Amino acid sequence: MTPQQDAGIDEAPDYADFPGGAKAALEAVLMVLDEPAGEEELAAGLGLTVAAVGTLLAELQREYNGYTGKAPEMESASNTGIGSSPRGFELRNIAGGWRIYSRAEFADIVGKYVLEGQTARLTQAALETLAVIAYRQPVSRARVSAIRGVNVDSVVRTLAQRGLIEDAGTDPESGAILYRTTSYFLERMGISSVEELPQLSPHLPGLDGIAEFYDAGTM
Amino acid sequence: MTPQQDAGIDEAPDYADFPGGAKAALEAVLMVLDEPAGEEELAAGLGLTVAAVGTLLAELQREYNGYTGKAPEMESASNTGIGSSPRGFELRNIAGGWRIYSRAEFADIVGKYVLEGQTARLTQAALETLAVIAYRQPVSRARVSAIRGVNVDSVVRTLAQRGLIEDAGTDPESGAILYRTTSYFLERMGISSVEELPQLSPHLPGLDGIAEFYDAGTM
Amino acid sequence: MAESKPGFEVRLANFTGPFDLLLGLIAKHQLDITEVAIATVTDEFIKYIRKLQQLGEEWALDEASEFLVIAATLLDLKAARLLPAGEVEDDEDIALLEARDLLFARLLQYKAFKQVAGILGETLHQEGRRFPRQVALEEHFAAMLPELVWKHTPQQFAALAEAALRPKTPEEPPRVALGHLHGSNVSVKEQARLLGLRLQQESPLTFRSLIADAGSTLVVVARFLALLELFRDRAVSFDQLSPLAELAIHWTAQGREWSAENLSEEYEEQL
């Protein structure tokens, strides 16, 4: 299938002339990204349709993960590396964008080379605060501390410094600063939106009314 | 050939247990390496001999470039993607160091992608980060991040890319990379040394208090 | 987890707040809240504090005061739980029941967040094993970047640095965090002053009469804590003929200069 030109793109290169075609061009762009890129962004940059980019991304993802089953009728025609073993890296869709990561299995080896930027494990207090903010966002510090039963000011400050949460404006009623999680948080969690967080309800047995109950209790 | 242990490495992982083996492990490292790495460095980190690393590097390089000729006697045994087309990236040995680059053929496409959305101005976040580095140099990203209250990793990368700041060695205690401003920065500021920067109010906190706060940030 | 060593194995420093400790204690004792023996927990706590002292560590006032709050909460929960359900007679009983439900609900909610926090922590750890490719731009691309527009004078740049380096003023006016309360601010010190005045006029008084006019459970807890503080200051003594009998409080600070101002400030933050 020939990639079609988007209306907004002045000219799409003819990828047939390139070694590896449009897929390799996409791969070349993925190599220079320093933050996750969305499909629209990649499509616009490459002069391809979003659908075509989506197909190519999925194909690259499968290739990097290694094909295990062989499809004999395709074998001779295909040049996508069928039957190959997994690569040392993977392509993942995280926080709404695609990006190349080293494969988790090699963490100990890769970690020796990229010590910088690796963050220490969060404390229990930080994790709990982060959890409350993630599930109740946007949320004020007062509410978070109501749920946790302790003052959370310094933990909130640290989480903001680590780029995991950010200011989300003020509460129209109380004027308190509200907090939400950042896309860096999603990235660190390896998910593309907060909707992918595990459901809270199974951990809250039979407490349907708790939100109102709780709200009535806040100042 | 069994990978042999280097003298300096306490134990080499058993690569047979990893998906893709030692080659994938090497690939994982190469994919996230920011600067070219020599064969000795790679061998030490992976717990392989320099010769083994050299063989694997050559193999990866051939794979990325795409095999064109088929070697029938190897075809069934090999799982290295024989007969595959070139990838969008290539492995190059420049000045004694290996690094993965986007394939030269795609330079125009990649260049256009990179330049898209690039502005000639620094963002407010970048300016503030630069100001903190200028007045507190040499300083690590962690400290700048503590002062600014947000994660500054990508901004620091942008400033380094713009030639305004550079690596100034590592902190002897934490091992973190320290940054300082460059002579290009002085040039743009129209001054001949950082001493010529206007004095700041003496009441501003120095780094000591910040460091304490950050390290005690208990995450 | 904490089963291996004797003594107060629940190290308070490892808990991140009263709910956390409460959950820990309930789980540890595998008991319904009504069966948590406060005396056992107290004994363990005292043992723990003594051990700290032997080790030459600071007498942790924070831990002790937090423990008092928790003990009071436990007592409160327990008292509410022991109320025969069929015999709700007055507003006080209903208030106690409501307080109990609220506490249980909040405890369960906290438990749920604690569980998902565990999942989050595990995910973050696992994800930390993958490293993103975020390499410096290849030189020939970096060279293509448009020349930087720079309009800042050194003075403007210094002003920028001043602003960035100035300690961030707290976004909200500084105040004691009360978010975790389900009532208004109650000061232990204030309650102590009030109890002191009352006991100086008439002594002994029963605990029941001292809390008769308490508007909420929180005030009862505050007065209870205030009495403990007064006891520590040797301003009052307690007199109880048998367990669960009427508790009589005697004022023993006669002739001595006594002021609520000397009381510890800790509770101002705790309550």
Side-chain angles (χ1 to χ4, degrees), chain B residues 122-136:
Chain B
L122 292 178
T123 60
Q124 186 65 21
L127 275 171
E128 282 178 18
T129 303
L130 181 60
V132 171
I133 293 173
Y135 278 93
R136 291 290 182 259

Side-chain angles (χ1 to χ4, degrees), chain B residues 37-169:
Chain B
E39 286 170 30
E40 290 76 14
E41 191 188 341
L42 292 168
L46 287 156
L48 298 170
T49 62
V50 174
V53 166
T55 310
L56 291 173
L57 285 166
E59 211 173 303
L60 284 175
Q61 196 174 35
R62 277 204 310 280
E63 268 179 57
Y64 297 164
N65 290 340
Y67 288 79
T68 45
K70 296 213 179 195
E73 73 282 7
M74 284 174 66
E75 197 162 10
S76 59
S78 164
N79 59 1
T80 53
I82 282 209
S84 63
S85 58
R87 308 234 64 115
F89 48 88
E90 55 189 335
L91 180 58
R92 287 157 69 194
N93 181 2
I94 291 174
W98 293 83
R99 201 194 122 160
I100 291 180
Y101 294 89
S102 62
R103 188 167 288 282
E105 284 87 341
F106 299 106
D108 291 346
I109 295 158
V110 173
K112 190 167 146 262
Y113 187 91
V114 169
L115 293 181
E116 187 99 1
Q118 283 288 343
T119 59
R121 273 169 228 281
L122 292 178
T123 60
Q124 186 65 21
L127 275 171
E128 282 178 18
T129 303
L130 181 60
V132 171
I133 293 173
Y135 278 93
R136 291 290 182 259
Q137 58 187 313
V139 65
S140 70
R141 278 197 302 223
R143 296 219 175 156
V144 178
S145 162
I147 294 170
R148 297 248 304 107
V150 289
N151 185 304
V152 296
D153 291 5
S154 84
V155 173
V156 164
R157 210 175 308 122
T158 307
L159 290 172
Q161 206 156 279
R162 286 311 203 143
L164 292 162
I165 59 169
E166 65 190 1
D167 196 325

Side-chain angles (χ1 to χ4, degrees), chain C residues 55-97:
Chain C
L55 293 172
E57 289 185 38
E58 281 284 304
W59 208 98
L61 189 59
D62 278 1
E63 292 189 9
S65 54
E66 182 155 288
F67 177 78
L68 275 182
V69 175
I70 291 152
T73 315
L74 270 171
L75 273 177
D76 189 24
L77 270 173
K78 199 167 168 174
R81 200 68 197 278
L82 287 170
L83 262 187
E87 293 173 30
V88 177
E89 279 170 2
D90 52 25
D91 290 349
E92 202 183 326
D93 289 351
I94 290 168
L96 272 174
L97 283 171

Side-chain angles (χ1 to χ4, degrees), chain C:
Chain C
M1 279 207 274
E3 309 293 331
S4 56
K5 282 179 289 166
F8 193 76
E9 290 142 350
V10 191
R11 236 192 111 93
L12 287 181
N14 294 341
F15 286 87
T16 63
F19 288 164
D20 205 25
L21 181 53
L22 218 46
L23 274 181
L25 289 176
I26 293 169
K28 184 188 169 200
H29 289 273
Q30 293 281 306
L31 286 175
D32 189 275
I33 192 90
T34 54
E35 292 171 37
V36 174
I38 304 279
T40 316
V41 175
T42 312
D43 284 349
E44 282 187 19
F45 178 73
I46 290 169
K47 239 187 263 168
Y48 163 72
I49 292 289
R50 291 230 170 95
K51 203 156 68 188
L52 274 192
Q53 274 177 308
Q54 279 164 10
L55 293 172
E57 289 185 38
E58 281 284 304
W59 208 98
L61 189 59
D62 278 1
E63 292 189 9
S65 54
E66 182 155 288
F67 177 78
L68 275 182
V69 175
I70 291 152
T73 315
L74 270 171
L75 273 177
D76 189 24
L77 270 173
K78 199 167 168 174
R81 200 68 197 278
L82 287 170
L83 262 187
E87 293 173 30
V88 177
E89 279 170 2
D90 52 25
D91 290 349
E92 202 183 326
D93 289 351
I94 290 168
L96 272 174
L97 283 171
E98 277 176 1
R100 182 197 72 182
D101 286 351
L102 188 60
L103 272 165
F104 269 114
R106 293 182 59 204
L107 203 52
L108 285 172
Q109 176 181 244
Y110 172 69
K111 194 174 171 216
F113 277 112
K114 196 174 154 62
Q115 279 169 358
V116 295
I119 299 174
L120 249 57
E122 188 47 34
T123 311
L124 286 171
H125 176 62
Q126 283 308 320
E127 282 301 314
R129 299 182 63 78
R130 296 181 164 101
F131 300 89
R133 176 176 171 92
Q134 43 184 7
V135 303
L137 206 52
E138 294 165 27
E139 268 172 40
H140 55 284
F141 294 131
M144 287 161 66
L145 292 173
E147 175 77 351
L148 208 57
V149 174
W150 185 272
K151 300 176 307 181
H152 287 78
T153 65
Q155 279 67 33
Q156 286 169 327
F157 189 71
L160 210 59
E162 289 257 0
L165 288 166
R166 192 167 299 127
K168 309 281 175 291
T169 46
E171 307 89 334
E172 293 169 41
R175 56 175 173 76
V176 176
L178 301 165
H180 54 294
L181 292 186
H182 46 85
S184 54
N185 187 7
V186 180
S187 155
V188 173
K189 194 181 282 179
E190 238 166 60
Q191 296 301 322
R193 190 179 295 119
L194 197 134
L195 294 181
L197 286 175
R198 215 183 274 180
L199 284 164
Q200 275 168 306
Q201 282 163 12
E202 190 185 348
S203 166
L205 282 172
T206 62
F207 185 65
R208 189 184 298 273
S209 66
L210 282 176
I211 59 163
D213 62 334
S216 70
T217 318
L218 199 61
V219 174
V220 177
V221 173
R223 287 190 184 170
F224 173 73
L225 290 172
L227 281 177
L228 292 181
E229 280 287 307
L230 290 168
F231 183 72
R232 197 181 67 173
D233 281 6
R234 272 170 276 170
V236 299
S237 68
F238 300 127
D239 187 8
Q240 194 175 28
L241 291 176
S242 64
L244 298 177
E246 199 77 66
L247 181 69
I249 294 105
H250 299 267
W251 185 252
T252 58
Q254 278 100 345
R256 271 201 295 129
E257 189 89 1
W258 179 84
S259 158
E261 290 310 315
N262 301 330
L263 288 179
S264 140
E265 295 279 348
E266 302 300 313
Y267 296 114
E268 299 307 313
E269 286 184 328
Q270 293 292 346
L271 273 195

Side-chain angles (χ1 to χ4, degrees), chain A:
Chain A
M1 199 200 295
T2 322
Q4 280 177 24
Q5 237 176 274
D6 264 11
I9 306 300
D10 32 1
E11 55 175 310
D14 186 355
Y15 287 110
D17 296 345
F18 287 95
K23 196 171 65 178
L26 174 59
E27 229 174 5
V29 168
L30 289 173
M31 282 307 124
V32 301
L33 292 181
D34 74 346
E35 48 187 35
E39 287 169 28
E40 291 76 13
E41 196 184 334
L42 292 168
L46 287 159
L48 297 170
T49 63
V50 174
V53 165
T55 309
L56 291 173
L57 285 166
E59 212 173 301
L60 285 175
Q61 195 174 35
R62 276 202 312 278
E63 270 177 53
Y64 298 164
N65 290 341
Y67 288 80
T68 45
K70 296 214 179 196
E73 73 280 8
M74 285 174 65
E75 199 163 8
S76 59
S78 163
N79 58 3
T80 53
I82 282 209
S84 64
S85 57
R87 307 233 66 116
F89 50 88
E90 53 189 332
L91 178 59
R92 303 173 75 217
N93 181 6
I94 280 166
W98 293 82
R99 193 180 199 182
I100 301 244
Y101 287 81
S102 67
R103 205 168 277 286
E105 285 88 341
F106 302 111
D108 294 339
I109 300 155
V110 177
K112 291 185 206 161
Y113 292 90
V114 282
L115 282 175
E116 180 85 358
Q118 277 311 290
T119 41
R121 288 188 89 143
L122 299 182
T123 59
Q124 187 61 24
L127 276 174
E128 285 175 17
T129 305
L130 186 58
V132 174
I133 293 172
Y135 283 91
R136 290 284 182 261
Q137 59 184 309
V139 65
S140 69
R141 280 197 301 229
R143 235 189 119 176
V144 179
S145 74
I147 292 175
R148 292 206 44 239
V150 287
N151 183 303
V152 296
D153 291 4
S154 82
V155 178
V156 163
R157 198 163 45 224
T158 317
L159 289 172
Q161 258 170 33
R162 296 290 178 109
L164 293 165
I165 60 168
E166 65 189 1
D167 197 321
T170 54
D171 185 86
E173 276 176 42
S174 67
I177 309 252
L178 299 174
Y179 293 90
R180 65 173 168 228
T181 53
T182 58
S183 62
Y184 175 67
F185 165 76
L186 297 177
E187 237 178 87
R188 291 286 312 274
M189 285 290 293
I191 56 179
S192 47
S193 94
V194 285
E195 272 88 65
E196 286 177 38
L197 286 171
Q199 288 283 308
L200 187 59
S201 43
H203 301 283
L204 266 177
L207 282 172
D208 301 339
I210 199 162
E212 296 92 275
F213 207 176
Y214 162 72
D215 281 337
T218 3
M219 6 170 314

